[in-house]
Amino acid sequence: MRLHRLEIAAFGPFSGTEVIDFDALSGAGLFLIQGRTGAGKTSVLDAVCFALYGQVPGVRNAVKGLRSDHAPPGAGPRVVLETTIRGRRLRLSRSPAWERPKLRGSGTTTEHAKVVVEEFEHGGWTGLTTRLDEAGDLVTRMLGMTAVQFCQVALLPQGEFAGFLRAGADERRKVLERLFAAEVFAQVEKWLADRRAATGREAAELGARAVSISDRICETTGAAPPREPRPAVPAPRRGEPAAEPFAEVEALTAWAAELAGGQEDVRAVVEELRAGVAAALRAAREELEEARALADRRRRHADALARRDALAGHAEERSRSASRLDAAVRADRVVPLVRDVRSRHGEAARARRWAEETRSRVAALLPPKAPQDVLAKAERHRRDEVAALESRRADAARLRRIGREREELAGELRRLEPEDARIRAALAELPAVVAGHRAELDETRLAAAGRPGAASAVQEAGRRLDAAQRRDRVEHRLAEAEAGYRAAVDAAQNARQAVLDLRQARLDGMAAVLAEELVDGEPCRVCGSPEHPAPVTSLALIPTEEQVEEAQAEADAAQDVRERAGTRVGELRTERDELLEVAGDAGADALAAGLAEARAVLAAAEARAAEAERAEARLHRREQELEQARTAQEENGRALTENRTRDRDLAAEQVRLAAELDEARGGDATLEARIARLGEEADALAAAIEAARAHERAAEELAAARAKAGQEAEEQGFRTLEEVLEAALSDEDQGVLRDRGRRFDDEEAKVRALLGDPELVAAAAAPAPDLPALESAVAAADVAHTGAANAADRARHRCERLAELRMDLAAAVGAWRPAAGRHEVAERLAGLASGKHAANRHDMSLSAYVLAARLEQVVAAANERLDRMSGGRYALVHTTGKAAGDRTRGAGGLGLRVADSWTGLERDPVTLSGGESFITSLALALGLADVVTAEAGGTEIGTLFVDEGFGTLDEETLDEVMDVLDGLRDGGRAVGIVSHVAELRARIPAQLRVTKDRAGSTAAVVV
């Protein structure tokens, strides 16, 4: 990953918009981010991390307000980062959530976080996503590391690694767990601990189940509990559930068997006792039942005698009910006829009233008491006249239509006559107007004929001007390229000469080099002699093979630059020659003046062409107006003639129809009024005739119904119809009387049967039994039987329950034994994985063991740089022992010591001085960055940042540290140092200077 450009607006301490060109800073390889304390140096790194992941490093991420307090109220915070990741050029634009002023009214509203991710391809930016989650996943997937890993790998926060160097096992474990994927091993530890707790609970529950069953046996038999309990599984650790099963669980089965034998003996004794008292109870109950049966027969005989006397007292009531029921049955045959008479009487009254009302409505049309035939004749006369008048309705409608049509014709005449005069006036003027427009069109068409030539001239002039401008630019670039080519030629020749000089110097000093390698007693590699009496010495500096190879590499690189510069010069010369063919030697100003002149000529021609088009349009409109006027004159004259002829014909027809309709309506206002009046009178006469006929029919039907009802009442024994209605009863009342009669008959039959029963007669003659004495004897026998039966049931229930509990106890003991074994295995494995078991000699947990392997890799990578920075004195040592201050079990595996080659001893990191702690933690941070990068898939980090800590170094140590950091630039990597140390400003020319004032911070790139 390489950074190119960073834009910060209203973010952190930066109130305005700051643009940082990392390409310019990265060109130097090593650059400095410097500024006063609090100016915002670290905020630049925060902006990079926020653009990539939407969060800032460390505890600063807990602060939600990323917007600058110095920014104007309406300015929104924004960070735009252009970077290349795995060969893809991306632009990430992020805005954090912030409170902006409302557009209307007072107060603020929340502006949510936003992101836009774009990729540069095919010469332009293409949007990839605007979702926050998708943007984070895209960056994490491409870099292969999370935000925490990126902050540790690319930003190298030295303060955190100094703490990491001196931290205990738990703090060191937390940092390593954030950077390396050790979750699965921590989950294994947790699973084993949960398994240990689960098996402990299982064994405790099974032991408690056996104890519970023994308690229930004690409750069932009333026996004392067995021996005191003691723990059957190892004591649980703190926080785990307690397990309290019995140790001697198997002894409970024998104890339960002994109790079962005693309970069987008790059960046999109480069963024998229950059999004796049961026989005595049965005898007493049989004697009591016989006495109760005799008493019941005596009671039933006495009840029958009382019921016979009561029936004799109801004889008169039974007779009256029978007579009433017989009269009601006879009345039922006459009641429907009586009701029919009443109904017809009402219908006859209504018919009479209807006839009187209808006759009163037509009284004015007829003589008094006119018969029905006179009414019918008057109705027919009116309906015939209505039929004759119906045929005249069409004439009335026609007369109305004629009136409306004549009004329309008059209005049309009023419109057509002025229109005819207007058309005649137009026809007198339009021919001269058309001739004038035609002459104007011919003139403009002649002037616009030169427009195509003018357009071609403009196009050619523009092409030559564009070629001339490009020619000038290419000539300027060609001059620069030729100068660069000359410089490249000089540099390549100088580099080649330097290689030749170094090789010649090494050849000249080869004898001295060989002499330095001679050892007394060992043969010379040239002459083979073991004696070396006069080895050659040289005071000149002899270059090494590495220096020669480096010079050759520089010469090869300079030659490549020379060849590329020569190729570029050739390409620019070819392009210039092609442009000269188009533009020639004329200057761009002269060609621009010619283009302006050609455009002016074209504009004039186009103006005349537009005028010709408008003249043609005006001529066309006038010709259309002339043609339309001639057509309108013909149509208007024809319409006037037709209108006047039609009005004369309609006037004659109107006079004739008006005379005929006046004669037909007579004295009525209109024809319709006369038809309506005659129709109403005919309907009234018809209603009067129908009412009279209905009245006659109702009277005849009423007389017939009265005669039929009187005859039927006489046949059933009733003198009048009123007697029939009085004797009538409803079906419910008749049912009540019949049910009462049947009950009396049934009761009388039952009484006769009881009084004739021989058993009841014999029981009435026998003496009465002594029931209280017999019931007392049965109660005493029942009490004795109940006591014996309860004792037997309790004994049987205890034996059955005890048998069930013995089976449950045996199953519980069988299930407890394997559960205790599983808990022992789980206890041992969980202790080994957590490092808290005696068998784990290093007191190292499983996750710590995995992280310890990563820490070994980190220490190995860190020592490569610590050796250079400390002048070979210090080296980090990874130990499996506990760190200083750790007292808990399982905390081993993540210890760090510092080996001092000057003393030959290992020291605790806390004993290092400030500068020594800085170089050690810097080496540790660089080593951790290398390991995390490899762990993340080898993603190349092209831009690194080292944050603060250089102020604790002396000059010599600072030189060593700078050499190490300078070595990080291998492969084109850029390293940024964040510091305010004054000496670094002199050492590193490429700088990003961050300054602060009351209005906020600003950033400037100095190269």
Side-chain angles (χ1 to χ4, degrees):
M1 182 199 75
R2 177 171 291 277
L3 306 182
H4 300 292
R5 180 179 180 273
L6 177 65
E7 179 181 337
I8 308 173
F11 184 88
F14 301 101
S15 59
T17 301
E18 306 296 328
V19 178
I20 301 173
D21 187 357
F22 280 109
D23 285 336
L25 293 173
S26 301
L30 187 66
F31 61 92
L32 175 67
I33 303 177
Q34 62 95 7
R36 295 167 58 192
T37 301
K41 302 184 296 297
T42 305
S43 296
V44 175
L45 310 187
D46 291 348
V48 173
C49 187
F50 178 77
L52 291 171
Y53 292 96
Q55 62 185 68
V56 297
V59 297
R60 296 188 299 279
N61 192 51
V63 180
K64 299 301 181 183
L66 297 178
R67 181 180 179 274
S68 174
D69 295 334
H70 301 281
R78 182 170 61 93
V79 176
V80 181
L81 175 66
E82 292 185 20
T83 179
T84 297
I85 304 176
R86 295 186 183 270
R88 298 173 63 180
R89 182 73 173 257
L90 301 179
R91 182 167 66 189
L92 300 99
S93 302
R94 282 189 187 267
S95 297
W98 64 291
E99 295 291 329
R100 65 168 177 83
K102 292 183 177 179
L103 299 178
R104 297 180 179 178
S106 59
T108 61
T109 183
T110 301
E111 190 75 19
H112 297 289
K114 300 177 182 177
V115 66
V116 177
V117 182
E118 302 168 284
E119 182 176 3
F120 188 81
E121 55 183 0
H122 306 301
W125 292 101
T126 302
L128 297 181
T129 182
T130 57
R131 290 172 55 94
L132 296 173
D133 53 350
E134 291 181 356
D137 292 342
L138 176 64
V139 173
T140 301
R141 186 172 62 255
M142 293 184 66
L143 284 177
M145 59 184 71
T146 64
V148 174
Q149 292 174 324
F150 175 80
C151 293
Q152 298 290 346
V153 170
L155 304 185
L156 302 183
Q158 294 308 303
E160 293 186 14
F161 278 94
F164 178 80
L165 182 66
R166 301 185 180 94
D170 289 339
E171 291 78 5
R172 196 169 290 152
R173 175 197 296 270
K174 293 177 182 177
V175 175
L176 294 174
E177 285 179 345
R178 289 200 306 267
L179 299 177
F180 300 105
E183 295 86 354
V184 63
F185 305 101
Q187 291 173 359
V188 170
E189 292 181 26
K190 184 178 182 301
W191 184 88
L192 289 174
D194 294 342
R195 182 62 178 168
R196 176 180 61 194
T199 54
R201 286 193 297 270
E202 181 184 11
E205 290 172 358
L206 292 174
R209 180 182 177 188
V211 172
S212 175
I213 294 173
S214 68
D215 291 341
R216 281 180 280 168
I217 290 175
C218 293
E219 293 175 0
T220 302
T221 61
R227 64 195 62 191
E228 292 295 327
R230 63 186 178 90
V233 296
R237 296 179 181 273
R238 181 186 300 176
E240 296 181 358
E244 298 182 355
F246 282 88
E248 303 295 336
V249 176
E250 293 186 3
L252 295 176
T253 56
W255 168 72
E258 181 180 357
L259 289 178
Q263 293 299 322
E264 288 293 338
D265 296 339
V266 174
R267 178 180 180 182
V269 173
V270 296
E271 285 290 345
E272 183 179 357
L273 177 63
R274 184 175 67 173
V277 297
L281 177 61
R282 285 195 298 273
R285 285 178 175 173
E286 290 175 357
E287 185 177 0
L288 177 60
E289 290 298 326
E290 291 177 357
R292 286 176 175 173
L294 176 60
D296 182 66
R297 289 194 293 273
R298 289 173 58 81
R299 178 187 58 76
R300 290 168 60 195
H301 188 270
D303 290 343
L305 292 175
R307 290 163 62 188
R308 183 184 61 184
D309 296 340
L311 288 173
H314 290 291
E316 183 177 356
E317 180 183 354
R318 292 174 63 188
S319 176
R320 287 196 303 271
S321 297
S323 299
R324 184 77 177 90
L325 183 59
D326 177 66
V329 171
R330 288 185 289 107
D332 285 345
R333 302 187 183 98
V334 186
V335 167
L337 299 177
V338 175
R339 291 176 180 168
D340 184 56
V341 170
R342 289 186 175 181
S343 175
R344 293 189 180 280
H345 184 272
E347 292 178 359
R350 287 193 295 273
R352 184 180 67 254
R353 288 195 300 272
W354 182 33
E356 291 174 354
E357 291 175 0
T358 55
R359 186 62 178 253
S360 65
R361 286 199 292 269
V362 298
L365 304 177
L366 300 170
K369 298 181 180 181
Q372 291 186 18
D373 56 348
V374 175
L375 294 174
K377 183 178 180 180
E379 179 193 0
R380 285 195 300 273
H381 174 70
R382 284 168 172 76
R383 294 200 183 278
D384 293 342
E385 187 175 357
V386 168
L389 293 174
E390 288 285 351
S391 62
R392 307 298 297 180
R393 281 182 171 173
D395 294 341
R398 174 59 182 164
L399 182 61
R400 290 192 296 272
R401 288 198 299 274
I402 290 172
R404 289 194 298 271
E405 190 171 353
R406 290 195 65 193
E407 291 178 359
E408 293 174 358
L409 289 173
E412 187 68 14
L413 282 172
R414 289 191 298 271
R415 184 186 67 80
L416 291 174
E417 290 172 350
E419 182 68 15
D420 184 66
R422 186 190 64 77
I423 293 172
R424 290 180 185 275
L427 286 174
E429 297 176 359
L430 284 175
V433 174
V434 169
H437 284 303
R438 185 173 289 111
E440 181 184 1
L441 175 61
D442 294 339
E443 180 183 355
T444 54
R445 282 178 175 174
L446 181 62
R451 183 174 60 174
S456 299
V458 168
Q459 184 177 2
E460 179 63 20
R463 189 171 71 90
R464 292 190 63 195
L465 176 60
D466 179 63
Q469 292 172 344
R470 291 169 56 196
R471 177 200 64 199
D472 295 342
R473 291 195 296 271
V474 169
E475 287 179 346
H476 179 69
R477 292 201 299 270
L478 177 59
E480 293 178 349
E482 289 175 344
Y485 176 67
R486 289 192 295 271
V489 170
D490 295 341
Q493 292 176 350
N494 293 335
R496 181 174 179 80
Q497 185 63 40
V499 172
L500 295 176
D501 294 343
L502 288 174
R503 286 178 177 172
Q504 186 62 42
R506 182 165 178 78
L507 289 174
D508 295 342
M510 187 59 68
V513 172
L514 292 175
E516 290 178 356
E517 297 176 356
L518 294 176
V519 179
D520 292 338
E522 293 184 2
C524 175
R525 289 189 296 173
V526 177
C527 64
S529 174
E531 297 180 358
H532 317 294
V536 179
T537 60
S538 175
L539 299 177
L541 182 63
I542 302 173
T544 64
E545 291 184 3
E546 290 79 4
Q547 290 175 335
V548 174
E549 291 176 357
E550 290 178 359
Q552 183 62 49
E554 293 177 357
D556 294 341
Q559 183 63 28
D560 291 340
V561 172
R562 173 183 177 179
E563 293 175 358
R564 289 196 298 271
T567 302
R568 178 59 177 164
V569 168
E571 293 174 352
L572 290 174
R573 285 174 179 171
T574 302
E575 184 178 359
R576 182 197 61 183
D577 294 341
E578 293 175 353
L579 293 173
L580 281 172
E581 292 179 1
V582 177
D585 296 331
D589 296 338
L591 292 176
L595 176 60
E597 183 179 355
R599 285 176 176 170
V601 174
L602 177 60
E606 288 179 345
R608 297 300 292 171
E611 181 63 27
E613 292 177 358
R614 290 192 294 272
E616 184 177 4
R618 289 194 296 270
L619 174 61
H620 182 64
R621 286 197 300 271
R622 291 300 185 178
E623 288 177 344
Q624 285 183 339
E625 290 177 5
L626 179 59
E627 184 64 27
Q628 291 171 358
R630 290 169 178 169
T631 303
Q633 184 183 28
E634 294 176 0
E635 294 177 353
N636 199 63
R638 186 170 53 254
L640 280 172
T641 302
E642 293 175 355
N643 190 301
R644 289 165 181 162
T645 302
R646 179 62 176 165
D647 185 63
R648 286 193 297 269
D649 295 341
L650 290 176
E653 186 179 2
Q654 184 179 29
V655 172
R656 180 180 58 80
L657 290 176
E660 292 176 356
L661 289 174
D662 288 342
E663 182 181 357
R665 71 171 177 265
D668 292 307
T670 62
L671 182 65
E672 292 296 330
R674 185 172 183 82
I675 292 174
R677 179 178 62 78
L678 294 175
E680 292 174 356
E681 290 178 357
D683 292 340
L685 290 170
I689 295 171
E690 180 61 27
R693 292 173 181 172
H695 178 245
E696 291 177 356
R697 287 194 303 272
E700 293 173 356
E701 292 172 356
L702 175 60
R706 281 178 176 172
K708 184 177 180 181
Q711 181 180 357
E712 184 65 26
E714 184 177 356
E715 291 176 356
Q716 296 298 328
F718 296 104
R719 293 189 298 276
T720 62
L721 297 179
E722 285 72 14
E723 290 182 0
V724 172
L725 295 176
E726 291 176 358
L729 289 175
S730 63
D731 292 341
E732 291 79 3
D733 293 339
Q734 292 182 23
V736 171
L737 292 177
R738 290 192 185 93
D739 291 342
R740 183 181 298 173
R742 282 195 295 271
R743 285 197 298 273
F744 279 125
D745 294 341
D746 294 342
E747 182 71 11
E748 186 175 6
K750 291 178 181 178
V751 168
R752 285 197 300 270
L754 289 173
L755 293 178
D757 188 352
E759 291 184 359
L760 297 183
V761 173
D770 188 1
L771 290 178
L774 294 174
E775 290 175 350
S776 299
V778 169
D782 186 60
V783 170
H785 177 266
T786 299
N790 289 340
D793 289 341
R794 286 194 297 272
R796 177 181 56 78
H797 176 71
R798 280 195 298 271
C799 291
E800 294 175 353
R801 180 59 178 161
L802 186 58
E804 295 175 359
L805 293 175
R806 287 177 62 197
M807 294 177 62
D808 295 341
L809 182 61
V813 171
W816 173 83
R817 191 177 295 106
R822 288 193 297 271
H823 176 68
E824 183 178 358
V825 174
E827 172 73 18
R828 179 178 177 81
L829 289 177
L832 286 172
S834 63
K836 299 177 181 179
H837 196 277
N840 192 328
R841 295 188 300 275
H842 296 291
D843 293 337
M844 186 187 305
S845 65
L846 178 60
S847 59
Y849 176 78
V850 175
L851 295 175
R854 293 288 188 269
L855 187 57
E856 285 181 351
Q857 299 174 355
V858 172
V859 168
N863 282 334
E864 295 180 4
R865 298 180 174 91
L866 182 58
D867 181 70
R868 294 179 58 188
M869 289 189 288
S870 64
R873 176 180 180 182
Y874 293 117
L876 286 171
V877 179
H878 168 244
T879 66
T880 58
K882 298 179 182 179
D886 290 328
R887 298 292 181 266
T888 58
R889 292 181 63 84
L894 300 179
L896 284 178
R897 304 283 290 176
V898 178
D900 189 345
S901 62
W902 289 6
T903 63
L905 301 176
E906 295 182 358
R907 299 164 54 185
D908 193 286
V910 299
T911 63
L912 296 175
S913 66
E916 293 170 340
S917 296
F918 171 73
I919 61 174
T920 306
S921 61
L922 176 59
L924 189 62
L926 295 174
L928 187 61
D930 292 342
V931 176
V932 172
T933 301
E935 180 80 8
T939 301
E940 182 64 29
I941 303 299
T943 306
L944 291 177
F945 296 93
V946 181
D947 192 358
E948 288 296 351
F950 295 90
T952 61
L953 304 179
D954 57 70
E955 183 176 356
E956 182 178 353
T957 305
L958 181 61
D959 290 338
E960 298 292 341
V961 172
M962 293 302 295
D963 289 342
V964 171
L965 294 178
D966 191 62
L968 294 176
R969 298 186 297 171
D970 295 343
R973 186 160 51 181
V975 180
I977 298 176
V978 182
S979 179
H980 51 69
V981 176
E983 186 176 351
L984 291 178
R985 292 200 295 271
R987 287 173 175 260
I988 305 174
Q991 299 178 10
L992 173 62
R993 296 177 181 175
V994 183
T995 58
K996 67 176 181 178
D997 56 23
R998 292 181 178 273
S1001 299
T1002 58
V1005 175
V1006 178
V1007 179

